[in-house]
Structures are given as C-alpha cells and as structure tokens.
Amino acid sequence: MSFARAKNRDIAQNVTKDTHHIVFANEKGGTGKSTTAVHVAVALAYQGHKVALIDLDPRQRTSYRYLENRDATMKRLNIEIPQPAYDVFEEDNLARLEQLIERMSHGADFLLYDTPGRDDKFARFVATRANTLVTPINDSFVDFDLIGQVDPETYKVRKLSFYAELIWDARKARAKADGATIDWVLLRNRTQYVEAHNMKRIIAALAELSQRVGFRIIPGLSERVIYRELFPAGLTMLDKEYLGRLATSHLAARQELRELIKHLALPHPAQAIPGDGETGLAKPKLVA
C-alpha cells in the first residue's frame, strides 16, 4: 500500500475526531524512537490525559515491553503511577489494525503509535491518519540521508529522499481527504556535544530542507545511559520518587523531556488535571 494509492474517503472516515493521533516513525533504527514514544506517552498521562499506545512492531515490541515492565513494577512496589493503555499489533490485516485503532481510540485524548524501524505498510497507513507525525533523527548525515541527499562538497541539499517523498504524499492525501494538516515534526534525538562543525552542517541542511518540505525541527532527548537503565523497570525520567538520588545530568534529562513536550505543541483537552507545582505533573500514589 502506498500513500499515493491511499483512498481519501477511507482516510477521512478512519481518523478518530476526538483523539489526537501521534505517530513516531522512522525507517531507520537506533534513533531512540521507542524510548521517546514511551516517555511522551507517560508524560501526557502524568498531565491527566487519557493516553493509549499501539506498538506496530510485533518482533521488537520495545514500547510494549517497556510499558509491560512498568505494570510489573507497579505490582511489585504496590504503587500506582500514570500508565497509558497499550497493545501490540500482531496481525497482517489492515482491517484488524483499524479495529485495534478504533478500540484504543475510544475515550482517549491521545493515541500514540510506535512504528518499526523499516519500511512497513502499516506504518505508512497510520502516517496518513496522524495529527502529529514525529520523526526522530540522530545528528549524523547517515540519518539525514533518510530525508534528503546532500552535496558531498557544499553540504547543500540536492534532492528529497524516498522517505520524505512518502511523507509528502501522505500529507497531500490527508489534506485532500478532510482538509486536515499533518504536523510533521523532526526530532533531533540522541544529540551529543561533539563534532560541533559537523553538527552545524547538519543543522543548516535541516533548516534548508524544512523550508522545502514543511517540517518543524525541535529538540529531543540527548544520548544518556539512564534511558537504557530505566527500561527493565518500565520507569521514566518523570518517576522521580522511584529513581533514587538523581544526578545533575538526570535533572537535565527531565528538563529535556519537558522541553520536548512543550515544542510538540499538542492540544490539551479541558479535562486535563493540573499537576503539582514543582513539575507540572500529577504525583504517584500508593495502592490501598
């Protein structure tokens, strides 16, 4: 199934109006896509939103396992911390995916999709229904090649890559179907404070391409060991009461996540619960 062949009528009918759909998509692995998706989902749940997540990679199922570990930690510690509803799509049938989306969308303010790090027909389909499409990318021209090809001497963008053309087609199909605009957000993830000269070239190339294609560029999560260490317990940087004494770098990581959420510029339903004054997030509680 290609974006170009997607049926506009079907797209319009299948998008759930009351749910904001956030698709995390990148055909290359190793960009921190699943970690980011889980942290965003949990952050939204902490803010009092009703959140659901669908893992579209039944082989890796990273985000599904992450949230499964989170459930296990709550049971082990006898606590309640904000937790999205979650499931993994294991079928090979578009109709079954639509049924899962309908079920997970019910009553949800946000439905997030964690897609495989490869070309995948189901990832392409959910991209057409996205309200916000997030593409995490590392600060390297290896990753940049996913969206654009650059001149080896001037580092100017020569042409769009296949993935950027696919997203362009998805946005056109969606606009034609129901007049909606897919907000394409390029997330500079796993940034490292090295190779400053190369980073400047990448930033300049991204800025040039964003004007041609129409995506937004926002800061993501830096490369930190803590993110890998949190996975077995299913915890996030927001679960501060269960992380022990936080180092300065961990506090910086929490601030990065707050900045990420702010720059995503997501809608906030009226029923959102105000959080505590220190974090803007709801507090965890013990289970009675």
Side-chain angles (χ1 to χ4, degrees):
M1 174 182 174
S2 69
F3 289 144
R5 295 203 307 264
K7 295 181 179 179
N8 296 332
R9 178 179 55 82
D10 292 343
I11 295 172
Q13 288 179 345
N14 291 329
V15 174
T16 307
K17 299 298 183 183
D18 296 332
T19 303
H20 191 90
H21 297 255
I22 310 174
V23 177
F24 290 81
N26 187 323
E27 291 184 1
K28 291 187 177 181
T31 59
K33 177 170 51 61
S34 296
T35 298
T36 306
V38 168
H39 271 74
V40 169
V42 170
L44 293 172
Y46 257 112
Q47 290 179 330
H49 300 294
K50 295 180 180 179
V51 185
L53 183 148
I54 297 176
D55 191 334
L56 287 174
D57 191 346
R59 290 186 292 180
Q60 297 282 346
R61 59 177 65 200
T62 305
S63 58
Y64 179 85
R65 286 285 298 121
Y66 203 127
L67 294 175
E68 195 174 51
N69 291 344
R70 189 173 181 83
D71 271 335
T73 292
M74 284 192 278
K75 183 177 181 180
R76 175 170 51 86
L77 299 180
N78 194 36
I79 59 171
E80 271 188 21
I81 49 179
Q83 170 76 320
Y86 61 98
D87 207 338
V88 60
F89 180 64
E90 300 181 279
E91 306 286 345
D92 191 24
N93 183 288
L94 186 57
R96 292 295 180 89
L97 175 58
E98 290 177 315
Q99 291 172 4
L100 177 60
I101 291 171
E102 183 177 358
R103 176 169 63 84
M104 298 296 283
S105 296
H106 184 71
D109 300 317
F110 296 97
L111 176 56
L112 287 72
Y113 304 81
D114 184 14
T115 65
R118 60 180 183 274
D119 184 23
D120 179 85
K121 64 180 180 179
F122 300 116
R124 294 191 186 191
F125 173 76
V126 297
T128 64
R129 68 186 301 124
N131 300 109
T132 302
L133 177 63
V134 182
T135 300
I137 185 172
N138 295 340
D139 273 345
S140 76
F141 279 109
V142 173
D143 278 34
F144 184 90
D145 193 66
L146 175 77
I147 56 174
Q149 298 177 16
V150 298
D151 184 278
E153 295 182 355
T154 65
Y155 293 96
K156 294 290 185 180
V157 179
R158 294 190 302 186
K159 66 175 184 177
L160 299 182
S161 292
F162 180 66
Y163 182 76
E165 292 178 348
L166 287 177
I167 302 303
W168 180 260
D169 287 343
R171 298 172 83 189
K172 287 194 300 182
R174 179 67 181 279
K176 188 175 181 180
D178 59 8
T181 300
I182 297 176
D183 183 18
W184 186 14
V185 179
L186 207 72
L187 190 72
R188 291 183 57 228
N189 232 3
R190 289 188 165 177
T191 53
Q192 301 185 48
Y193 303 101
V194 295
E195 300 185 46
H197 190 60
N198 185 63
M199 188 177 297
K200 289 179 180 178
R201 288 172 171 170
I202 292 172
I203 292 173
L206 286 173
E208 178 188 348
L209 194 57
S210 69
Q211 294 178 356
R212 293 170 56 177
V213 182
F215 55 73
R216 295 191 294 122
I217 307 168
I218 70 171
L221 305 179
S222 299
E223 177 64 28
R224 301 181 191 274
V225 176
I226 184 66
Y227 292 119
R228 293 188 288 273
E229 293 177 341
L230 291 173
F231 175 82
L235 296 175
T236 72
M237 291 307 304
L238 301 178
D239 304 307
K240 63 174 185 173
E241 294 193 15
Y242 306 100
L243 300 180
R245 186 173 181 178
L246 295 179
T248 302
S249 63
H250 298 163
L251 296 175
R254 293 180 65 209
Q255 184 58 34
E256 285 178 351
L257 180 57
R258 291 193 191 100
E259 289 297 310
L260 190 164
I261 297 296
K262 181 179 75 174
H263 284 96
L264 280 176
L266 301 171
H268 293 277
Q271 68 266 30
I273 301 172
D276 67 66
E278 190 275 331
T279 63
L281 303 169
K283 292 182 178 179
K285 60 183 178 179
L286 291 173
V287 176

